[in-house]
Amino acid sequence: MNPKRISLLILLLLFADQALKIWVKTHMHLDEAIVVFPDWFQLRFIENNGAAFGMHIATRGGFDWGKLMLGIFRIAMVGAVSWFMVHLHRTRKDTPKGVFIGLALIVAGALGNIFDSAFYGLVFSESTPFSVAQFGGHYAGFMMGKVVDMFYFPLFQWNGVPRLLQFLVDSNNYFFGAIFNLADAYISVATIYLLLFQYKFFSK
């Protein structure tokens, strides 16, 4: 799989992620939900300051150092994975297309969430439960913007969930409780795919 096709795939994935996030950001109030399939699939608009699936890295003080470090980590990951793809293309002619696709998904996912953090605070007004964000606002500095999440799958209530597994449910004990975006899905699907189906290639 040549670099031009990989680059095009990354751009298409990134465009899909950003187009959905911008639509949600500019059409929905914070915490507004659109029921797609009753009882198990909603588009629910939330924002988070931290990692994937709505998680947050807490830090003390007024400046969010955890968010900055996460942004730097994501940028470093994009650079490392991109370099690795170029390295595979040049030195490992036996690399399966699936490996390149999986790595491209990871790069696109990381870039998608980097864009939110880097630019959304600079170009949008703040989303609230009572107002929809508008272009041309400014609610945070560079790399301090919030990541837009929208996919919510409250499949069933799991009352009495063990403490060790509470990360699997939301505040109302619904499984799967995390709210996430396309970028998160890209990274998760690619990681599982590479571990399950391409481990033989990486073990050589």
Side-chain angles (χ1 to χ4, degrees):
M1 195 168 184
N2 64 56
K4 288 184 179 180
R5 290 184 177 179
I6 296 171
S7 299
L8 179 60
L9 175 60
I10 291 172
L11 288 175
L12 290 174
L13 292 168
L14 182 59
F15 175 80
D17 173 71
Q18 289 298 304
L20 179 58
K21 287 175 176 175
I22 291 171
W23 185 90
V24 168
K25 180 85 173 161
T26 57
H27 288 79
M28 297 177 68
H29 300 284
L30 195 63
D31 207 34
E32 181 180 352
I34 298 173
V35 176
V36 181
F37 294 106
D39 300 327
W40 71 274
F41 178 29
Q42 301 176 18
L43 288 179
R44 184 171 182 176
F45 174 31
I46 68 165
E47 293 179 310
N48 76 80
N49 290 314
F53 297 100
M55 293 182 288
H56 175 64
I57 298 176
T59 54
R60 296 179 180 178
F63 188 78
D64 197 338
W65 291 102
K67 184 172 181 59
L68 179 61
M69 294 303 297
L70 179 64
I72 293 172
F73 171 77
R74 283 177 173 148
I75 292 170
M77 184 178 73
V78 168
V81 176
S82 299
W83 174 87
F84 185 56
M85 284 194 290
V86 172
H87 175 74
L88 288 177
H89 177 72
R90 291 176 176 174
T91 63
R92 293 286 302 272
K93 301 301 181 183
D94 61 331
T95 304
K97 288 184 179 180
V99 170
F100 286 117
I101 292 173
L103 295 174
L105 280 164
I106 291 173
V107 169
L111 283 173
N113 286 332
I114 288 169
F115 269 51
D116 293 28
S117 297
F119 303 116
Y120 279 23
L122 300 174
V123 300
F124 289 114
S125 61
E126 188 168 11
S127 296
T128 76
F130 311 103
S131 62
V132 175
Q134 303 292 326
F135 280 109
H138 178 89
Y139 72 86
F142 180 66
M143 295 302 295
M144 291 294 116
K146 298 176 182 178
V147 175
V148 174
D149 292 324
M150 76 293 294
F151 293 127
Y152 181 43
F153 294 89
L155 299 178
F156 57 87
Q157 272 191 309
W158 187 2
N159 295 314
V161 57
R163 181 173 297 180
L164 290 175
L165 299 179
Q166 284 184 345
F167 67 93
L168 295 175
V169 300
D170 63 11
S171 59
N172 295 314
N173 288 335
Y174 274 101
F175 177 93
F176 168 67
I179 302 176
F180 59 99
N181 57 43
L182 270 179
D184 299 332
Y186 294 161
I187 295 171
S188 300
V189 169
T191 301
I192 293 170
Y193 167 76
L194 292 172
L195 289 174
L196 292 180
F197 300 103
Q198 299 295 345
Y199 67 92
K200 289 184 178 179
F201 172 77
F202 289 105
S203 63
K204 292 180 181 178

Short mmCIF file of all heavy atoms in Angstrom, two decimals, residues 92 94 96 99 193-204:
data_model
loop_
_atom_site.label_atom_id
_atom_site.label_comp_id
_atom_site.label_asym_id
_atom_site.label_seq_id
_atom_site.Cartn_x
_atom_site.Cartn_y
_atom_site.Cartn_z
N ARG A 92 10.01 -3.34 4.65
CA ARG A 92 9.26 -4.58 4.80
C ARG A 92 8.23 -4.68 3.68
O ARG A 92 7.08 -4.31 3.83
CB ARG A 92 8.56 -4.64 6.17
CG ARG A 92 9.50 -4.73 7.36
CD ARG A 92 10.12 -6.12 7.48
NE ARG A 92 9.13 -7.16 7.61
CZ ARG A 92 8.61 -7.57 8.78
NH1 ARG A 92 9.00 -6.99 9.91
NH2 ARG A 92 7.72 -8.54 8.82
N ASP A 94 6.82 -7.17 2.67
CA ASP A 94 5.81 -8.19 2.96
C ASP A 94 4.73 -7.67 3.92
O ASP A 94 3.88 -8.44 4.37
CB ASP A 94 6.47 -9.42 3.60
CG ASP A 94 7.16 -9.10 4.92
OD1 ASP A 94 7.62 -7.95 5.09
OD2 ASP A 94 7.24 -9.99 5.78
N PRO A 96 1.43 -6.58 5.29
CA PRO A 96 0.04 -6.69 4.80
C PRO A 96 -0.64 -5.33 4.73
O PRO A 96 -0.34 -4.42 5.52
CB PRO A 96 -0.63 -7.59 5.85
CG PRO A 96 0.49 -8.27 6.57
CD PRO A 96 1.64 -7.31 6.54
N VAL A 99 -2.12 -4.04 8.01
CA VAL A 99 -1.26 -3.36 8.98
C VAL A 99 -1.24 -1.86 8.69
O VAL A 99 -1.39 -1.04 9.60
CB VAL A 99 0.17 -3.93 8.93
CG1 VAL A 99 1.13 -3.07 9.74
CG2 VAL A 99 0.18 -5.37 9.46
N TYR A 193 -7.81 -4.90 16.23
CA TYR A 193 -7.55 -5.61 14.98
C TYR A 193 -6.08 -6.00 14.86
O TYR A 193 -5.76 -7.16 14.53
CB TYR A 193 -7.95 -4.74 13.79
CG TYR A 193 -7.43 -5.25 12.48
CD1 TYR A 193 -8.01 -6.36 11.85
CD2 TYR A 193 -6.33 -4.65 11.87
CE1 TYR A 193 -7.52 -6.85 10.65
CE2 TYR A 193 -5.84 -5.13 10.67
CZ TYR A 193 -6.43 -6.23 10.07
OH TYR A 193 -5.92 -6.71 8.89
N LEU A 194 -5.18 -5.07 15.13
CA LEU A 194 -3.75 -5.37 15.00
C LEU A 194 -3.31 -6.44 16.00
O LEU A 194 -2.51 -7.33 15.66
CB LEU A 194 -2.93 -4.10 15.19
CG LEU A 194 -3.06 -3.04 14.08
CD1 LEU A 194 -2.36 -1.75 14.47
CD2 LEU A 194 -2.51 -3.56 12.76
N LEU A 195 -3.83 -6.38 17.21
CA LEU A 195 -3.45 -7.37 18.23
C LEU A 195 -3.99 -8.77 17.90
O LEU A 195 -3.30 -9.77 18.10
CB LEU A 195 -3.96 -6.93 19.60
CG LEU A 195 -3.25 -5.74 20.23
CD1 LEU A 195 -3.96 -5.32 21.52
CD2 LEU A 195 -1.78 -6.06 20.52
N LEU A 196 -5.20 -8.83 17.37
CA LEU A 196 -5.83 -10.13 17.13
C LEU A 196 -5.44 -10.75 15.80
O LEU A 196 -5.27 -11.98 15.71
CB LEU A 196 -7.36 -9.99 17.19
CG LEU A 196 -7.98 -9.68 18.54
CD1 LEU A 196 -9.50 -9.58 18.42
CD2 LEU A 196 -7.61 -10.76 19.57
N PHE A 197 -5.28 -9.93 14.76
CA PHE A 197 -5.13 -10.47 13.43
C PHE A 197 -3.77 -10.22 12.77
O PHE A 197 -3.47 -10.81 11.74
CB PHE A 197 -6.24 -9.92 12.52
CG PHE A 197 -7.62 -10.27 12.97
CD1 PHE A 197 -8.42 -9.34 13.61
CD2 PHE A 197 -8.11 -11.56 12.78
CE1 PHE A 197 -9.69 -9.65 14.03
CE2 PHE A 197 -9.39 -11.89 13.22
CZ PHE A 197 -10.18 -10.95 13.84
N GLN A 198 -2.97 -9.34 13.34
CA GLN A 198 -1.68 -9.05 12.74
C GLN A 198 -0.51 -9.31 13.69
O GLN A 198 0.61 -8.89 13.44
CB GLN A 198 -1.64 -7.59 12.27
CG GLN A 198 -2.67 -7.23 11.23
CD GLN A 198 -2.46 -7.97 9.90
OE1 GLN A 198 -1.41 -8.54 9.65
NE2 GLN A 198 -3.49 -7.96 9.06
N TYR A 199 -0.77 -10.03 14.78
CA TYR A 199 0.30 -10.27 15.76
C TYR A 199 1.42 -11.11 15.17
O TYR A 199 2.58 -10.96 15.57
CB TYR A 199 -0.28 -10.94 17.02
CG TYR A 199 -0.80 -12.34 16.80
CD1 TYR A 199 0.01 -13.45 17.00
CD2 TYR A 199 -2.12 -12.54 16.39
CE1 TYR A 199 -0.47 -14.73 16.78
CE2 TYR A 199 -2.60 -13.83 16.18
CZ TYR A 199 -1.79 -14.91 16.37
OH TYR A 199 -2.26 -16.16 16.16
N LYS A 200 1.11 -11.99 14.23
CA LYS A 200 2.16 -12.82 13.63
C LYS A 200 3.16 -11.97 12.85
O LYS A 200 4.36 -12.22 12.89
CB LYS A 200 1.54 -13.87 12.70
CG LYS A 200 0.79 -14.98 13.44
CD LYS A 200 0.30 -16.04 12.47
CE LYS A 200 -0.41 -17.17 13.20
NZ LYS A 200 -0.93 -18.21 12.28
N PHE A 201 2.64 -10.95 12.16
CA PHE A 201 3.54 -10.06 11.41
C PHE A 201 4.47 -9.31 12.36
O PHE A 201 5.69 -9.23 12.12
CB PHE A 201 2.73 -9.08 10.58
CG PHE A 201 3.57 -8.00 9.93
CD1 PHE A 201 4.32 -8.27 8.80
CD2 PHE A 201 3.63 -6.72 10.48
CE1 PHE A 201 5.11 -7.30 8.23
CE2 PHE A 201 4.41 -5.74 9.92
CZ PHE A 201 5.16 -6.01 8.77
N PHE A 202 3.93 -8.77 13.44
CA PHE A 202 4.74 -8.00 14.37
C PHE A 202 5.68 -8.86 15.20
O PHE A 202 6.66 -8.37 15.76
CB PHE A 202 3.84 -7.17 15.30
CG PHE A 202 3.15 -6.02 14.61
CD1 PHE A 202 1.81 -6.09 14.29
CD2 PHE A 202 3.86 -4.88 14.27
CE1 PHE A 202 1.16 -5.03 13.66
CE2 PHE A 202 3.23 -3.82 13.63
CZ PHE A 202 1.89 -3.90 13.32
N SER A 203 5.38 -10.14 15.28
CA SER A 203 6.24 -11.05 16.07
C SER A 203 7.44 -11.56 15.26
O SER A 203 8.32 -12.22 15.81
CB SER A 203 5.43 -12.24 16.57
OG SER A 203 4.95 -13.02 15.48
N LYS A 204 7.48 -11.25 13.96
CA LYS A 204 8.60 -11.72 13.13
C LYS A 204 9.88 -10.96 13.48
O LYS A 204 9.86 -9.78 13.79
CB LYS A 204 8.29 -11.50 11.63
CG LYS A 204 7.15 -12.40 11.12
CD LYS A 204 6.91 -12.12 9.66
CE LYS A 204 5.77 -12.98 9.10
NZ LYS A 204 5.50 -12.68 7.69
#
